[in-house]
Amino acid sequence: MPAVPSLIERYAAHLPVTDRTPRLTLGEGATPLVRARALERETGIPEVWLKVEGQNPTGSFKDRGMVVAVAKALEAGARMVLCASTGNTAASAAAYAARAGLGCAVVLPAGQVAAGKLAQAIAHGARVVAVRGPFDAALAVVRSLAEQGEATLVNSVNPDRLEGQKTAAYEVCEVLGDAPDALFIPVGNAGNITAYWKGFVEATALGLARRRPKMYGYQAEGAAPIVRGSPVAEPETVATAIRVGNPASWKGAVAARDESGGAIDAVSDGEILDAYGFVARCEGVFCEPASAAAIAGLRRRARDGGLRDLRRVVCVLTGNGMKDPERARSLAGAIAEVEATPDAVRRALRS
Ligand code: F0G
Protein backbone atom coordinates (compact mmCIF):
# COMPACT_ATOMS: atom_id res chain seq x y z
CA MET A 1 0.00 0.00 0.00
CA PRO A 2 1.48 3.38 -0.94
CA ALA A 3 2.00 5.94 1.87
CA VAL A 4 -0.61 8.18 0.25
CA PRO A 5 -3.86 6.37 -0.57
CA SER A 6 -4.45 5.89 -4.29
CA LEU A 7 -6.66 8.34 -6.16
CA ILE A 8 -9.46 5.77 -6.40
CA GLU A 9 -9.33 5.08 -2.64
CA ARG A 10 -9.12 8.74 -1.64
CA TYR A 11 -12.06 9.81 -3.75
CA ALA A 12 -14.09 6.57 -3.99
CA ALA A 13 -17.18 8.27 -2.53
CA HIS A 14 -17.17 10.77 -5.43
CA LEU A 15 -16.18 8.43 -8.28
CA PRO A 16 -18.21 5.88 -10.26
CA VAL A 17 -16.50 2.99 -8.45
CA THR A 18 -17.87 0.10 -6.42
CA ASP A 19 -16.33 -2.37 -3.97
CA ARG A 20 -15.65 -4.58 -6.99
CA THR A 21 -13.66 -1.91 -8.88
CA PRO A 22 -9.98 -2.90 -8.79
CA ARG A 23 -7.87 -0.47 -6.72
CA LEU A 24 -5.50 0.11 -9.62
CA THR A 25 -2.78 2.69 -8.94
CA LEU A 26 0.62 3.99 -10.00
CA GLY A 27 0.59 6.72 -7.34
CA GLU A 28 -1.39 9.29 -9.37
CA GLY A 29 -2.82 12.53 -8.00
CA ALA A 30 -1.85 14.51 -4.89
CA THR A 31 0.38 16.66 -7.09
CA PRO A 32 2.14 19.77 -5.74
CA LEU A 33 0.50 23.19 -5.67
CA VAL A 34 3.46 25.55 -5.88
CA ARG A 35 3.48 29.31 -5.22
CA ALA A 36 4.73 31.28 -8.25
CA ARG A 37 6.48 34.39 -6.92
CA ALA A 38 7.93 35.55 -10.23
CA LEU A 39 4.50 35.46 -11.84
CA GLU A 40 3.06 37.32 -8.83
CA ARG A 41 5.65 40.07 -9.27
CA GLU A 42 5.03 40.30 -13.00
CA THR A 43 1.23 40.20 -12.92
CA GLY A 44 0.61 42.08 -9.66
CA ILE A 45 -1.79 39.34 -8.54
CA PRO A 46 -1.21 38.68 -4.80
CA GLU A 47 -1.29 34.89 -5.09
CA VAL A 48 -0.45 32.79 -8.13
CA TRP A 49 -0.24 29.02 -7.72
CA LEU A 50 0.86 26.31 -10.12
CA LYS A 51 -0.83 22.90 -10.03
CA VAL A 52 2.07 20.77 -11.20
CA GLU A 53 0.34 17.91 -12.97
CA GLY A 54 3.57 16.87 -14.68
CA GLN A 55 4.39 15.14 -11.39
CA ASN A 56 1.89 12.39 -12.08
CA PRO A 57 3.32 8.90 -12.76
CA THR A 58 3.45 9.24 -16.55
CA GLY A 59 4.12 12.98 -16.44
CA SER A 60 0.69 14.43 -17.18
CA PHE A 61 -2.78 15.01 -15.73
CA LYS A 62 -4.12 12.21 -17.90
CA ASP A 63 -3.26 9.66 -15.18
CA ARG A 64 -6.12 10.89 -12.95
CA GLY A 65 -8.80 9.96 -15.44
CA MET A 66 -6.93 7.01 -16.94
CA VAL A 67 -6.65 5.15 -13.64
CA VAL A 68 -10.44 5.30 -13.26
CA ALA A 69 -11.18 4.44 -16.91
CA VAL A 70 -8.79 1.46 -16.94
CA ALA A 71 -10.00 0.19 -13.54
CA LYS A 72 -13.60 0.33 -14.81
CA ALA A 73 -12.60 -1.42 -18.06
CA LEU A 74 -10.95 -4.14 -15.98
CA GLU A 75 -14.04 -4.44 -13.79
CA ALA A 76 -16.21 -4.83 -16.90
CA GLY A 77 -14.03 -7.66 -18.20
CA ALA A 78 -12.35 -5.77 -21.05
CA ARG A 79 -9.20 -7.25 -22.61
CA MET A 80 -8.00 -4.21 -24.46
CA VAL A 81 -8.13 -0.41 -24.30
CA LEU A 82 -7.90 1.96 -27.24
CA CYS A 83 -7.34 5.70 -27.68
CA ALA A 84 -6.42 8.44 -30.11
CA SER A 85 -3.87 10.87 -28.75
CA THR A 86 -1.57 13.81 -29.27
CA GLY A 87 0.75 11.82 -26.97
CA ASN A 88 -0.06 12.11 -23.28
CA THR A 89 -3.27 10.09 -23.31
CA ALA A 90 -1.38 7.37 -25.19
CA ALA A 91 1.46 7.33 -22.65
CA SER A 92 -0.99 7.14 -19.77
CA ALA A 93 -3.24 4.50 -21.36
CA ALA A 94 -0.19 2.37 -22.19
CA ALA A 95 1.16 2.55 -18.62
CA TYR A 96 -2.15 1.78 -16.85
CA ALA A 97 -3.02 -0.98 -19.34
CA ALA A 98 0.41 -2.54 -18.67
CA ARG A 99 -0.24 -2.28 -14.93
CA ALA A 100 -3.69 -3.85 -15.32
CA GLY A 101 -2.56 -6.61 -17.66
CA LEU A 102 -4.69 -5.30 -20.55
CA GLY A 103 -3.71 -4.82 -24.17
CA CYS A 104 -3.46 -1.24 -25.43
CA ALA A 105 -3.65 0.28 -28.89
CA VAL A 106 -2.96 3.95 -29.59
CA VAL A 107 -3.63 5.91 -32.76
CA LEU A 108 -1.53 9.05 -33.22
CA PRO A 109 -1.38 11.95 -35.68
CA ALA A 110 1.70 11.09 -37.79
CA GLY A 111 4.79 13.20 -37.13
CA GLN A 112 3.09 15.34 -34.44
CA VAL A 113 3.83 13.57 -31.17
CA ALA A 114 6.67 14.63 -28.86
CA ALA A 115 9.49 12.10 -28.56
CA GLY A 116 9.09 11.38 -24.84
CA LYS A 117 5.41 10.52 -25.19
CA LEU A 118 6.02 8.15 -28.08
CA ALA A 119 8.85 6.53 -26.10
CA GLN A 120 6.48 5.93 -23.20
CA ALA A 121 3.78 4.30 -25.33
CA ILE A 122 6.37 2.02 -26.92
CA ALA A 123 8.09 1.17 -23.64
CA HIS A 124 4.81 0.14 -22.02
CA GLY A 125 4.09 -2.21 -24.88
CA ALA A 126 1.23 -0.43 -26.64
CA ARG A 127 0.50 -1.12 -30.28
CA VAL A 128 1.13 2.19 -32.01
CA VAL A 129 -0.33 3.29 -35.34
CA ALA A 130 0.14 6.75 -36.88
CA VAL A 131 -2.52 8.14 -39.20
CA ARG A 132 -2.16 10.83 -41.84
CA GLY A 133 -4.21 13.69 -40.45
CA PRO A 134 -4.69 15.60 -37.20
CA PHE A 135 -5.77 14.24 -33.80
CA ASP A 136 -9.41 14.71 -34.80
CA ALA A 137 -9.05 12.16 -37.62
CA ALA A 138 -7.42 9.69 -35.23
CA LEU A 139 -10.28 10.18 -32.74
CA ALA A 140 -12.89 9.53 -35.44
CA VAL A 141 -11.12 6.26 -36.30
CA VAL A 142 -10.94 4.95 -32.72
CA ARG A 143 -14.56 5.92 -32.03
CA SER A 144 -15.60 3.83 -34.98
CA LEU A 145 -13.39 0.89 -33.94
CA ALA A 146 -14.76 1.05 -30.39
CA GLU A 147 -18.34 1.06 -31.69
CA GLN A 148 -17.52 -2.12 -33.56
CA GLY A 149 -16.51 -3.64 -30.23
CA GLU A 150 -12.77 -3.84 -30.88
CA ALA A 151 -11.77 -2.45 -27.47
CA THR A 152 -12.79 -0.10 -24.65
CA LEU A 153 -12.32 3.53 -25.67
CA VAL A 154 -10.37 5.49 -23.04
CA ASN A 155 -10.41 8.94 -24.62
CA SER A 156 -12.14 11.63 -22.57
CA VAL A 157 -15.42 10.85 -24.37
CA ASN A 158 -15.41 8.00 -21.84
CA PRO A 159 -17.14 9.63 -18.82
CA ASP A 160 -14.93 7.74 -16.33
CA ARG A 161 -11.97 9.81 -17.57
CA LEU A 162 -13.59 13.12 -16.64
CA GLU A 163 -14.70 11.76 -13.27
CA GLY A 164 -11.09 10.96 -12.41
CA GLN A 165 -9.80 14.27 -13.75
CA LYS A 166 -12.20 16.33 -11.63
CA THR A 167 -10.25 15.22 -8.53
CA ALA A 168 -7.62 17.85 -9.36
CA ALA A 169 -10.20 20.56 -8.55
CA TYR A 170 -10.97 18.86 -5.22
CA GLU A 171 -7.26 18.84 -4.39
CA VAL A 172 -6.88 22.54 -5.17
CA CYS A 173 -9.78 23.32 -2.80
CA GLU A 174 -8.39 21.03 -0.10
CA VAL A 175 -4.96 22.69 -0.16
CA LEU A 176 -6.14 26.30 -0.41
CA GLY A 177 -9.15 25.84 1.90
CA ASP A 178 -11.36 27.23 -0.89
CA ALA A 179 -11.49 27.48 -4.66
CA PRO A 180 -9.29 30.20 -6.21
CA ASP A 181 -10.82 33.32 -7.81
CA ALA A 182 -9.79 32.05 -11.24
CA LEU A 183 -8.34 28.96 -12.88
CA PHE A 184 -6.12 29.17 -15.97
CA ILE A 185 -5.97 26.03 -18.06
CA PRO A 186 -4.94 24.97 -21.59
CA VAL A 187 -7.70 23.62 -23.84
CA GLY A 188 -7.23 20.90 -26.46
CA ASN A 189 -9.94 18.28 -26.69
CA ALA A 190 -11.60 20.26 -23.84
CA GLY A 191 -12.06 17.36 -21.42
CA ASN A 192 -9.91 18.85 -18.68
CA ILE A 193 -11.64 22.24 -18.42
CA THR A 194 -14.96 20.36 -18.37
CA ALA A 195 -13.72 18.04 -15.60
CA TYR A 196 -12.29 20.87 -13.45
CA TRP A 197 -15.54 22.78 -13.65
CA LYS A 198 -17.49 19.69 -12.58
CA GLY A 199 -15.01 19.25 -9.72
CA PHE A 200 -15.39 22.86 -8.52
CA VAL A 201 -19.18 22.70 -8.70
CA GLU A 202 -19.14 19.51 -6.65
CA ALA A 203 -16.58 20.97 -4.23
CA THR A 204 -18.94 23.82 -3.37
CA ALA A 205 -21.81 21.36 -2.85
CA LEU A 206 -19.58 19.24 -0.60
CA GLY A 207 -18.45 22.23 1.46
CA LEU A 208 -14.82 21.97 0.29
CA ALA A 209 -15.18 25.45 -1.22
CA ARG A 210 -17.37 28.50 -0.71
CA ARG A 211 -16.91 29.97 -4.18
CA ARG A 212 -16.41 28.79 -7.75
CA PRO A 213 -13.56 30.13 -9.85
CA LYS A 214 -13.84 31.96 -13.15
CA MET A 215 -12.57 29.50 -15.74
CA TYR A 216 -10.05 30.89 -18.25
CA GLY A 217 -9.21 28.39 -21.00
CA TYR A 218 -6.50 28.87 -23.63
CA GLN A 219 -6.17 27.41 -27.09
CA ALA A 220 -3.27 28.00 -29.48
CA GLU A 221 -4.03 30.57 -32.20
CA GLY A 222 -3.60 28.02 -34.99
CA ALA A 223 -5.83 25.51 -33.21
CA ALA A 224 -8.58 27.65 -31.69
CA PRO A 225 -11.94 26.25 -32.82
CA ILE A 226 -13.85 27.27 -29.67
CA VAL A 227 -12.56 30.84 -29.88
CA ARG A 228 -13.43 31.04 -33.59
CA GLY A 229 -16.76 29.26 -33.18
CA SER A 230 -16.14 26.60 -35.83
CA PRO A 231 -13.90 23.53 -36.29
CA VAL A 232 -10.39 24.01 -37.68
CA ALA A 233 -9.63 21.45 -40.42
CA GLU A 234 -5.85 21.71 -40.22
CA PRO A 235 -4.85 22.79 -36.71
CA GLU A 236 -1.26 24.01 -36.32
CA THR A 237 0.80 24.92 -33.25
CA VAL A 238 4.14 24.23 -31.60
CA ALA A 239 2.09 23.04 -28.61
CA THR A 240 1.37 19.67 -30.26
CA ALA A 241 -0.53 18.37 -27.21
CA ILE A 242 -3.35 20.85 -27.91
CA ARG A 243 -3.23 20.62 -31.71
CA VAL A 244 -6.94 19.79 -31.88
CA GLY A 245 -9.39 21.18 -34.45
CA ASN A 246 -12.74 19.87 -33.25
CA PRO A 247 -12.79 19.22 -29.48
CA ALA A 248 -14.96 16.35 -28.27
CA SER A 249 -15.96 18.24 -25.09
CA TRP A 250 -16.66 21.54 -26.87
CA LYS A 251 -20.02 21.97 -25.13
CA GLY A 252 -18.53 21.23 -21.71
CA ALA A 253 -15.86 23.88 -22.22
CA VAL A 254 -18.41 26.50 -23.28
CA ALA A 255 -20.60 25.66 -20.27
CA ALA A 256 -17.59 25.98 -17.92
CA ARG A 257 -16.77 29.36 -19.47
CA ASP A 258 -20.31 30.73 -19.37
CA GLU A 259 -21.45 29.37 -16.02
CA SER A 260 -18.27 30.64 -14.34
CA GLY A 261 -18.19 34.04 -16.06
CA GLY A 262 -14.75 33.26 -17.51
CA ALA A 263 -13.37 33.21 -21.05
CA ILE A 264 -11.75 31.01 -23.67
CA ASP A 265 -9.08 32.81 -25.66
CA ALA A 266 -6.22 32.06 -28.02
CA VAL A 267 -2.51 32.69 -27.44
CA SER A 268 0.17 32.74 -30.14
CA ASP A 269 2.97 30.19 -30.44
CA GLY A 270 5.38 33.02 -29.60
CA GLU A 271 3.54 33.78 -26.36
CA ILE A 272 3.42 30.06 -25.52
CA LEU A 273 7.17 29.57 -25.98
CA ASP A 274 7.94 32.73 -24.05
CA ALA A 275 5.81 31.54 -21.11
CA TYR A 276 7.38 28.07 -21.38
CA GLY A 277 10.87 29.50 -20.98
CA PHE A 278 9.74 31.90 -18.23
CA VAL A 279 8.26 29.32 -15.84
CA ALA A 280 11.25 27.02 -16.32
CA ARG A 281 13.84 29.77 -15.69
CA CYS A 282 12.01 31.94 -13.15
CA GLU A 283 9.87 29.46 -11.21
CA GLY A 284 11.96 26.30 -11.53
CA VAL A 285 9.02 24.38 -12.96
CA PHE A 286 9.51 22.66 -16.30
CA CYS A 287 6.23 22.14 -18.13
CA GLU A 288 5.50 21.30 -21.72
CA PRO A 289 4.56 23.96 -24.31
CA ALA A 290 0.82 23.15 -24.19
CA SER A 291 0.79 23.70 -20.44
CA ALA A 292 2.49 27.06 -20.90
CA ALA A 293 -0.55 28.25 -22.87
CA ALA A 294 -2.24 28.76 -19.49
CA ILE A 295 0.67 30.90 -18.26
CA ALA A 296 0.72 32.84 -21.53
CA GLY A 297 -2.98 33.53 -21.07
CA LEU A 298 -2.51 34.71 -17.49
CA ARG A 299 0.32 37.06 -18.48
CA ARG A 300 -1.65 38.52 -21.39
CA ARG A 301 -4.83 39.03 -19.36
CA ALA A 302 -2.87 40.63 -16.51
CA ARG A 303 -1.10 42.99 -18.96
CA ASP A 304 -4.43 43.98 -20.47
CA GLY A 305 -5.71 44.87 -17.00
CA GLY A 306 -8.38 42.17 -17.00
CA LEU A 307 -7.47 40.63 -13.64
CA ARG A 308 -7.49 43.60 -11.24
CA ASP A 309 -10.10 42.15 -8.89
CA LEU A 310 -8.46 38.77 -8.52
CA ARG A 311 -6.52 37.92 -5.38
CA ARG A 312 -5.73 34.28 -5.89
CA VAL A 313 -5.37 32.32 -9.13
CA VAL A 314 -4.27 28.80 -10.03
CA CYS A 315 -2.61 27.79 -13.32
CA VAL A 316 -2.78 24.14 -14.31
CA LEU A 317 0.54 22.91 -15.69
CA THR A 318 -0.80 19.84 -17.41
CA GLY A 319 2.37 18.04 -18.53
CA ASN A 320 6.07 17.62 -17.77
CA GLY A 321 8.61 19.48 -19.90
CA MET A 322 10.76 16.37 -20.24
CA LYS A 323 8.14 14.90 -22.55
CA ASP A 324 9.39 17.12 -25.36
CA PRO A 325 13.20 17.22 -25.16
CA GLU A 326 13.61 18.54 -28.69
CA ARG A 327 11.58 21.65 -27.94
CA ALA A 328 13.54 22.20 -24.73
CA ARG A 329 16.84 21.85 -26.56
CA SER A 330 15.78 24.58 -28.98
CA LEU A 331 15.84 27.12 -26.13
CA ALA A 332 19.67 27.31 -26.33
CA GLY A 333 22.33 27.30 -29.05
CA ALA A 334 25.30 24.96 -29.32
CA ILE A 335 26.81 23.67 -26.06
CA ALA A 336 30.53 24.43 -25.73
CA GLU A 337 32.81 21.37 -25.67
CA VAL A 338 36.25 22.07 -24.19
CA GLU A 339 39.29 20.38 -22.59
CA ALA A 340 38.59 18.89 -19.15
CA THR A 341 40.53 21.57 -17.23
CA PRO A 342 39.26 24.23 -14.78
CA ASP A 343 40.68 27.02 -16.96
CA ALA A 344 39.00 25.85 -20.13
CA VAL A 345 35.68 25.34 -18.36
CA ARG A 346 35.91 28.76 -16.64
CA ARG A 347 36.57 30.44 -20.00
CA ALA A 348 33.64 28.63 -21.58
CA LEU A 349 31.32 29.56 -18.70
CA ARG A 350 32.25 33.23 -19.07
CA SER A 351 31.87 33.44 -22.82
N1 F0G B 1 -2.07 19.86 -21.86
C1 F0G B 1 -1.49 18.71 -22.23
C2 F0G B 1 -0.07 18.49 -21.84
C3 F0G B 1 -2.23 17.75 -22.96
O1 F0G B 1 -1.64 16.61 -23.31
C4 F0G B 1 -3.56 18.04 -23.31
C5 F0G B 1 -4.36 17.10 -24.09
C6 F0G B 1 -4.10 19.25 -22.88
C7 F0G B 1 -3.33 20.13 -22.17
C8 F0G B 1 -5.51 19.63 -23.17
O2 F0G B 1 -6.40 18.89 -22.41
O3 F0G B 1 -7.65 17.81 -24.23
O4 F0G B 1 -8.54 17.85 -21.91
O5 F0G B 1 -8.45 19.94 -23.28
N2 F0G B 1 -3.90 16.07 -24.63
C9 F0G B 1 -4.72 15.05 -25.32
C10 F0G B 1 -3.89 13.80 -25.60
C11 F0G B 1 -5.45 15.58 -26.50
O6 F0G B 1 -4.20 13.07 -26.55
O7 F0G B 1 -2.93 13.54 -24.88
P1 F0G B 1 -7.86 18.61 -22.99
Side-chain angles (χ1 to χ4, degrees):
M1 192 89 135
V4 179
S6 71
L7 184 143
I8 290 179
E9 283 169 320
R10 270 173 82 199
Y11 294 111
H14 311 295
L15 293 173
V17 298
T18 68
D19 292 345
R20 292 184 317 282
T21 311
R23 268 32 185 180
L24 185 68
T25 186
L26 286 168
E28 57 292 322
T31 55
L33 192 65
V34 174
R35 192 84 182 252
R37 305 280 184 188
L39 279 167
E40 289 172 2
R41 281 192 296 276
E42 187 189 285
T43 60
I45 299 169
E47 283 183 42
V48 178
W49 299 84
L50 308 175
K51 182 67 170 158
V52 188
E53 288 289 280
Q55 298 273 23
N56 275 296
T58 76
S60 85
F61 73 96
K62 304 288 181 179
D63 295 340
R64 291 179 183 278
M66 198 57 72
V67 72
V68 179
V70 174
K72 292 300 285 183
L74 204 52
E75 183 182 353
R79 308 287 294 275
M80 174 113 186
V81 295
L82 169 70
C83 66
S85 181
T86 57
N88 282 324
T89 299
S92 187
Y96 283 91
R99 184 77 177 176
L102 298 178
C104 177
V106 304
V107 181
L108 311 175
Q112 295 292 336
V113 172
K117 303 173 189 179
L118 191 56
Q120 289 176 286
I122 293 168
H124 292 302
R127 295 205 163 207
V128 180
V129 178
V131 293
R132 292 186 277 276
F135 165 82
D136 311 280
L139 183 59
V141 168
V142 296
R143 286 179 107 149
S144 155
L145 293 178
E147 270 164 29
Q148 290 159 37
E150 306 260 345
T152 302
L153 189 61
V154 293
N155 279 105
S156 57
V157 292
N158 176 333
D160 296 331
R161 280 276 314 279
L162 299 191
E163 290 297 314
Q165 281 175 212
K166 78 182 179 190
T167 61
Y170 286 26
E171 285 178 13
V172 167
C173 297
E174 285 162 7
V175 172
L176 297 178
D178 200 351
D181 297 325
L183 187 92
F184 287 76
I185 185 168
V187 174
N189 208 25
N192 211 26
I193 188 170
T194 304
Y196 265 88
W197 181 239
K198 185 168 200 287
F200 284 123
V201 169
E202 290 180 8
T204 48
L206 291 167
L208 284 174
R210 289 181 298 281
R211 76 188 82 193
R212 295 171 184 175
K214 287 184 193 298
M215 302 290 284
Y216 289 107
Y218 288 89
Q219 302 190 298
E221 263 175 14
I226 299 176
V227 180
R228 302 202 188 299
S230 59
V232 174
E234 291 179 17
E236 245 348 304
T237 169
V238 292
T240 53
I242 53 170
R243 193 172 170 276
V244 177
N246 191 10
S249 297
W250 189 316
K251 286 197 184 119
V254 167
R257 177 194 71 191
D258 295 345
E259 289 168 20
S260 74
I264 297 179
D265 277 330
V267 284
S268 70
D269 280 2
E271 288 174 300
I272 289 172
L273 290 179
D274 201 48
Y276 167 72
F278 181 87
V279 275
R281 285 193 314 275
C282 302
E283 301 289 4
V285 178
F286 189 25
C287 66
E288 60 176 288
S291 311
I295 304 287
L298 171 72
R299 296 172 94 193
R300 154 109 70 78
R301 195 162 277 275
R303 250 195 332 267
D304 293 348
L307 300 175
R308 289 216 182 85
D309 303 335
L310 302 186
R311 293 202 52 76
R312 182 190 262 175
V313 308
V314 170
C315 296
V316 183
L317 297 187
T318 47
N320 195 307
M322 289 186 287
K323 295 250 185 191
D324 194 348
E326 285 155 16
R327 177 59 57 195
R329 186 63 193 80
S330 72
L331 290 171
I335 291 174
E337 188 178 315
V338 300
E339 291 304 315
T341 66
D343 272 353
V345 171
R346 193 180 296 116
R347 267 198 306 279
L349 289 173
R350 281 178 183 159
S351 68

